[in-house]
Each structure stands twice: as C-alpha cells, then as structure tokens.
Amino acid sequence: MTFDKVLLDHGGGGRASHELIERVFVPRFQNPFLKEMNDSAVFDLNGANLAFTTDSYVVDPIFFPGGDIGSLAVCGTVNDLAMRGAKPYYLSVGFIMEEGFPLKDLEQILLSMERAAQEAGVQIVTGDTKVVPKGAVDKIFINTSGIGLIPKGFNIAGQNAQPGDAVLLSGTLGDHGLTILSKREGLAFESSLKSDAAPLNHLVQEILSTGPEIHVLRDPTRGGLATTLNEIAGQSQVGIEIWEETIPIRDSVSAASEILGLDPLYVANEGKLVAILPQSQAEAVLAVMKKNPYGQDAALIGEVKAENPGKVVLKTIIGGKRLLDMLTGEQLPRIC
Amino acid sequence: MKHLSEYRDKELAQKLIAAIRDQSKRPIRLMEVCGTHTVSIFRHGIRQVLPPTIQLISGPGCPVCVTATEEIDRAVKLARNPGVMITTFGDLVRVPGSQSSLQMERASGADVRMVYSTFDALKLARENQNKKVIFLAIGFETTAPTIAAAVLEAKLLGLENYFILSAHKLLPPALEVLLNSGDLNLQGFIYPGHVTTIIGTGAYEQVAEKYHLPGVVCGFEPVDILETILMLVRQIEQGQAKVEIQYKRGSSAIGNPKALNVLNRVFVPCDAPWRGLGTIPDSGLALRPEFRAFAAEDHFDLQVPPAQDHPGCACGEVLRGIKTPLQCLLFRTACRPDSPIGPCMVSTEGTCAAYFKYNE
Amino acid sequence: MCLAVPMEVKKITDNWAVVEYEGTRREVRLDLVDPKPEVGDYVIIHAGFALHRIDEEEAKENLKYWKEILNKDI
C-alpha cells in the first residue's frame, strides 16, 4: 500500500523518519556534512572547528512534569552540540504561535528557556516570531539552532565505534516519553513520572576532561536507546550487544510501560547520553559521570562487537538474546 | 508482593530452564495461542534458552491479526463519514485494509482518537454531543465484557451519539477449527491467561479429552512461561493430557461468571470472518436486539466490496501454526513493520512482527 | 491476546476504583470483578477494567512451591 501523504510515523524518530530523510532530504541537499547524519554538522571555519545544529519542538502538552516546551527547546539543541564534543555558545530561537495563545503561557516558556540557557551557559542571540491563524498550528512550536566550538584533538561521531569498546549510559531510560504520554488526552493517568529534560553539556565537558579517546556520544531522544544504538551500529558498521539487567529503568517508568504496552528501550529521553569509548577508559569515565547530578545512575550497559555489523542485540535477564531493531513508527499504546 | 517483578527472577528462570532441559526427551511442538505470549517469548529470548527438543509455534490469538480486511475496510468507510469520531485501541490504528488504514484516514482529515478504555470513548461521546462517536471494538473474551459494560452504561445514560462496530472474536470456536484442519502437528497448548480469567478452563477440558492434548493456562512473565513449558513437558513425557493452571494468581477453572453475564446480556454469538481462517460459525459477537441502537452497522452504510488478500501473504498459514514467517516469500522483503502486507506484521504482537523485531 | 497488569486498589467509589502500580494511578471500573475487591487488594487490570482479584495467599504459595521444589532439584 503506497501513500502520498506524510504520516505521524514519519516524525516518530524511527525507521519511517530515517527513510523520509534519506529518500527526500539528503538527495536534495546533498553534501558531505549532511550525509554523515550526525546530531550536528561539524566544519572548519577560519581555523575554528565548529558544530552547528537545529531542531524543532512541537511537544504536546507544552507544559509537563519536569519541564516544558521551552526548556526542551534549549536543552535539545545544547545536547545535539554537546554530542559532537562541542562547547555550545550561541542559540537562535524561532516561535510559531497560534492566534489566541495566552501571553502568560509564553512568559512561562520564556522563563524556563532563560533558566535552561543559564544553566547550560549559552546565550540566545537572535530570534524570530510568527503568529498564524487559529488551527494553523497547535498552540506553539519552537525552533532553535545552535553553534558550538569543538576543542582541538576531539573527533566524536557516530562513525567511530570500534569492536571492543564499552557502551555507557548516563542514567534511567524512558522518563521523558512516558511522562508526555501519560498526559495525552484519552490516556491520561496520574503518576509520579517526570521528564528528564536537562542540558548535558557540562556532563560532556567533564567526560572529555578524562582524555580525548571518546569515540561516540549520542543522546537517545525519539526512538529511544534501541534506535540510537541502531544508528551507531549502522554508521560504524559494528555490532552492539547490551545487557538487559544492567540497563537502569525507574520502577515507575517500567510500570507505566507495562500498563500501556510500551517498551522503555524505544521511548524518548531528553537528558541522557550514550558514550562509546575504549574499555580501558570505561571505569574512569563512569566514575566521572556518576559525580554529575545528570549522570548519577550511569551504568556500563554493553559492548561493541565485530560480529553482526549494523545490528544491536539485547541479552535478556534469563540469558536469551533478542535482536533490537530500530523503532518502526510511533509507539502506540495497546491493549493486546 | 507486586505480582510482576517476582516472575522475572533470573535465578528461578535459570533453574526452570535447567529442569526443562533435563526432563525434555521427546521432540515436541507447543502452540502459544495468545499473541501476548508470542511477544513475551521473543522479548525475553525464551526460544534460545529452550532445548532443541522443544519448538514453540504461534497461534491465532492476536485480535488485530485475525481482524479481517473487510472489517478494516468498514472502519475506514465509517471514518470518512462527516461528523464522525472514530475511537479505538492503539493496536488498530495502523492495520491496513485493502486500500487504506485509520492512520492514513487521520492524515487525510478523519477524526481518529486512541483510547485506553471504552469508558474513555464514552466520555468523548458525552463531551462531543455534535459528533457521532464510534468505538471500533476488537478483542477476545477478555476485552469484550469491557465493551459490553460500556454499552450498558451508554444505555443507562441515554447516549444517542455512541456506537460500536463489533469485530470481536471468540477463542473456543477458532481452537476447534484449528484442531479439525488436519494439518496441525501439536503436542500441547500454552493457553492464554487473561482469556481464561473470563471463560475458565471448560473449553480446554474438551480439547484435552477429545484430542488427547494437554494444555496449561499460562501467565505472561518469563518465569510463568518457563514454568508452563516445564508442566507441559512433564505431562507429555508421562503421556498425560490434562488441563492445568500455572497462572493461578490471575485465573481459575470457573472463570469470571459476572463478566460473562455482562457479556451475554449485551452480545450474542454470530458468524465472524477471521483473517487466515475464513468465516467461523458463532465465533464473533453481535449486539442483542435490545441494544441495536448502539450498532454502527444499523446507522451507517457499511457496504464494502469483498476484500482481496495479497496472494503471496502466508498469514493464514502462520496463524494456523503450519508455517513460520521465515517460510513466507514476502517476509522481510515486501512485508515489513513499516509497510505491512499481512496482519501478522501489523500488530506488535503479530507473529511476523515479533519475528521481524526480535529474531536474530 | 490481552495485555493486563496487576495494580493495587487505593480507593473505591461506587463502581470506580483508583488503582496504582509503582506510582502510576488510574481510575478503573469494577463492573466485571467478582468478588468485589477491597482497598489494598491487587486486581488484574485490562483496558480500564478490573477483571480479577488476586488471591495474595495463593500467589505466595505458588511462588514458594516453585522456589522450594527447585532448590531440591526437580
């Protein structure tokens, strides 16, 4: 069955998104930077090694426990820069608002953007505002772009994972995605869930201070850990094995996932990172991560293998194995 | 006790695995009837820890997978009516009919909402009096009583804009068809815990007696499934054909008469089309005459042309357990989770989707 | 076939109950469950309905049985 319209699945961050990008966008704008498909483009400009990225935020609801669309818009772009080892400096912001959007809500969003920018140590230096007729967008959409500087000697990219490398995860999975779902109309349930939205650039700087041998950093946002690891396995042409019993997941997240029939390995995070680095460095980096409040639940969750290039395998608690594919479309709550 | 995490215990699981390996001598094929079991088996990697003597095959217990193409086509046709709001479980949104799916209709402007419970759909009906709210009712005996309870409530409230389109399926008639099809080679059944919660074990007793096939009612965690397999291995090695309940915390031999009573007050069995199994007499549920005010088919034109299934699709054989997805020519090539052809690929608990997602 | 999870009953109002599992709370209907649960009981929840009250003693016994029997080598 072919279809000539964009579906919600195409924005889910999984295989459908990737196919849309690869089939429609990459051929049109082809250049070596875009083709790499990393969180930020990295290029040399007058001797400075710069990272540049952009992201749009359309989260519904716009306010949720642990953050709002504003904090998300700052943290997400800061994190995309940090995942290339860059120190983020400047952000742009574009607002598209629906006619009738309450000014009070806008003020609140701006306040949390200010706070997140302060925490990350970035400045919002340029911006744009558009208002569209009622119904043309849902309440408010935000785009942010960011620019950062990569220190000399670092080359962190999805292509660099090597067999034997350790896979570290900075904390618990699924907190953001399940928080958002729990507030959706028709599914609403009460919970103690809280989004993990946070700027990770300081954590990254601390990791980098242990030495230059970090191969890959990536934040498992839409599509979750499973999709992120699949991207890395594909880009580096390596296999990745992770161990179920080592993966930190909060009981509350695990419970909400059971109730909705979702898999936390595929649920979005907004304040977590995956680090892939030589085994010999793993212990030291893990210790550094655990000292940072955004890395206190960090764990060694797996290793990079030469076998099964492009594939991610989960070793289950009972000793079985399961192939972890990329997320296909949106994860839908189910009863069956 | 949380009644969940205890059944993911690594040590207990490993002891059960050792016991299964030790006691399983004859090669056997066991069918897990229920799609939720299929998912759990893949998710926990249970196949790889079993000895080569034990083969698990997946049965027809995924309500999305057995929903016939024409039933989806009717839902799509309904969604195109102006002033209609379609409500359904997330499971059904992506399932392709012959031309379209609810997801595609939503992209084309239809009002399609996902709900967690039929009572959420009732709430939407009360809040949107200007809309006709239709709940697409799928599911087996576990889910059908919840739909029935909502119909009773709608009647009590005098709601005039709430309708259901019933595509419910009943398990025992399908088991009977499977067992009579002649091409099954089976030594035992892993029975669905939550269907049994409602219907009890009566239907399985008949299977045990008539076909000399043992069965165990099974929970959904890895320890449950391993324990069930061990119980089946023991029965088979000893030549027994009993019905046992492993999932005692969630089901019983008598089932849930209260829920069955609600179900029977509202619904009456009717013939129903099953994807892959054809039309099976008395295997579906229709609203009783006194509840026809809520029957979508009585208020909307739901005539659709007869549906053609893809000629290469082996879902029918997969649902009957006589082929694995790997034996289907479309599997992984033309038929993938993002472009599914057959229903077993659409549903997350479909056998083909589970094979695609979890199998090495 | 049917996804259902055990949740603890926190509050009962007529045919509605608030149930909780690890901090996640949801209102569910009690139309279908018999015997009617009490606060503190665990019930099996499917699609917003309690379907079954878990017999705590029986669940404990069953787990104990397997743990014991496995320690003795089956």
Side-chain angles (χ1 to χ4, degrees), chain A residues 249-332:
Chain A
I249 298 175
R250 271 182 229 286
D251 287 343
S252 55
V253 167
S254 184
S257 307
E258 295 293 339
I259 293 163
L260 295 175
L262 305 177
D263 187 341
L265 296 176
Y266 289 90
V267 174
N269 310 280
E270 290 293 344
K272 297 292 151 39
L273 63 82
V274 173
I276 295 183
L277 67 171
Q279 207 71 245
S280 57
Q281 316 264 327
E283 212 172 305
V285 171
L286 199 56
V288 166
M289 283 164 87
K290 285 187 172 193
K291 276 190 209 136
N292 185 296
Y294 296 133
Q296 55 186 358
D297 297 319
L300 170 67
I301 61 158
E303 65 178 321
V304 179
K305 304 254 188 187
E307 303 90 71
N308 301 320
K311 300 232 187 301
V312 181
V313 173
L314 176 81
K315 237 176 129 185
T316 68
I317 288 171
I318 65 157
K321 280 189 177 175
R322 150 187 170 196
L323 188 71
L324 282 186
D325 196 28
M326 220 178 239
L327 177 67
T328 301
E330 251 192 319
Q331 269 211 115
L332 303 177

Side-chain angles (χ1 to χ4, degrees), chain B residues 5-314:
Chain B
S5 46
E6 296 90 343
Y7 302 92
R8 292 182 184 170
D9 184 87
K10 185 181 179 180
E11 209 184 330
L12 193 50
Q14 279 171 347
K15 283 184 171 161
L16 285 164
I17 293 164
I20 292 168
R21 286 188 180 153
D22 188 49
Q23 295 181 29
S24 172
K25 311 276 187 242
R26 293 172 41 191
I28 53 172
R29 281 157 59 92
L30 307 176
M31 175 179 276
E32 86 271 1
V33 177
C34 167
T36 311
H37 280 144
T38 306
V39 169
S40 192
I41 286 164
F42 278 101
R43 185 168 163 193
H44 299 288
I46 288 175
R47 273 194 168 83
Q48 293 97 326
V49 299
L50 294 177
T53 42
I54 301 175
Q55 209 189 330
L56 297 180
I57 53 176
S58 311
C62 159
V64 171
C65 303
V66 298
T67 299
T69 309
E70 64 201 70
E71 291 177 310
I72 301 295
D73 288 347
R74 265 186 224 121
V76 162
K77 188 164 184 184
L78 258 179
R80 289 177 181 168
N81 276 292
V84 152
M85 180 195 292
I86 299 287
T87 56
T88 188
F89 299 128
D91 311 53
L92 210 59
V93 173
R94 234 181 242 130
V95 187
S98 41
Q99 300 293 330
S100 179
S101 67
L102 290 170
Q103 172 180 247
M104 292 178 182
E105 292 306 312
R106 187 174 61 191
S108 301
D111 191 354
V112 178
R113 313 274 182 107
M114 260 183 293
V115 293
Y116 168 73
S117 163
T118 49
F119 267 72
D120 299 335
L122 273 189
K123 193 168 158 234
L124 284 168
R126 295 174 74 174
E127 290 166 359
N128 296 275
Q129 295 283 348
N130 58 335
K131 287 224 168 192
K132 292 181 166 131
V133 175
I134 298 161
F135 186 77
L136 302 180
I138 55 159
F140 286 89
E141 287 92 334
T142 320
T143 316
T146 72
I147 316 291
V151 169
L152 289 176
E153 183 79 3
K155 186 154 192 173
L156 202 71
L157 294 169
L159 279 183
E160 287 176 359
N161 64 332
Y162 178 77
F163 305 91
I164 68 163
L165 182 63
S166 169
H168 287 297
K169 303 281 186 283
L170 301 175
L171 179 65
L175 276 184
E176 192 70 27
V177 167
L178 271 183
L179 288 163
N180 288 327
S181 66
D183 44 11
L184 272 185
N185 165 19
L186 268 190
Q187 281 70 45
F189 280 111
I190 296 171
Y191 284 126
H194 293 137
V195 165
T196 311
T197 306
I198 304 298
I199 68 171
T201 55
Y204 317 145
E205 295 289 353
Q206 285 174 25
V207 170
E209 207 170 298
K210 195 166 157 193
Y211 301 92
H212 196 73
L213 279 175
V216 175
V217 176
C218 179
F220 297 88
E221 300 305 317
V223 165
D224 291 321
I225 295 170
L226 290 166
E227 197 180 308
T228 296
I229 292 171
L230 181 59
M231 289 164 84
L232 281 167
V233 164
R234 285 171 155 186
Q235 279 204 46
I236 295 165
E237 291 296 330
Q238 291 166 14
Q240 295 175 325
K242 293 185 294 188
V243 176
E244 295 180 281
I245 300 180
Q246 177 278 332
Y247 189 47
K248 284 190 180 142
R249 65 186 184 281
S251 61
S252 68
I254 57 157
N256 182 340
K258 188 178 178 187
L260 281 174
N261 180 39
V262 170
L263 174 73
N264 292 326
R265 269 172 71 194
V266 174
F267 289 115
V268 58
C270 65
D271 297 354
W274 291 57
R275 181 102 66 150
L277 299 177
T279 295
I280 304 177
D282 287 339
S283 69
L285 291 171
L287 286 168
R288 287 185 178 277
E290 57 269 41
F291 296 101
R292 294 308 293 186
F294 303 103
E297 60 268 39
D298 290 3
H299 294 80
F300 299 90
D301 170 23
L302 294 182
Q303 290 293 324
V304 293
Q308 300 284 321
D309 287 340
H310 192 292
C313 175

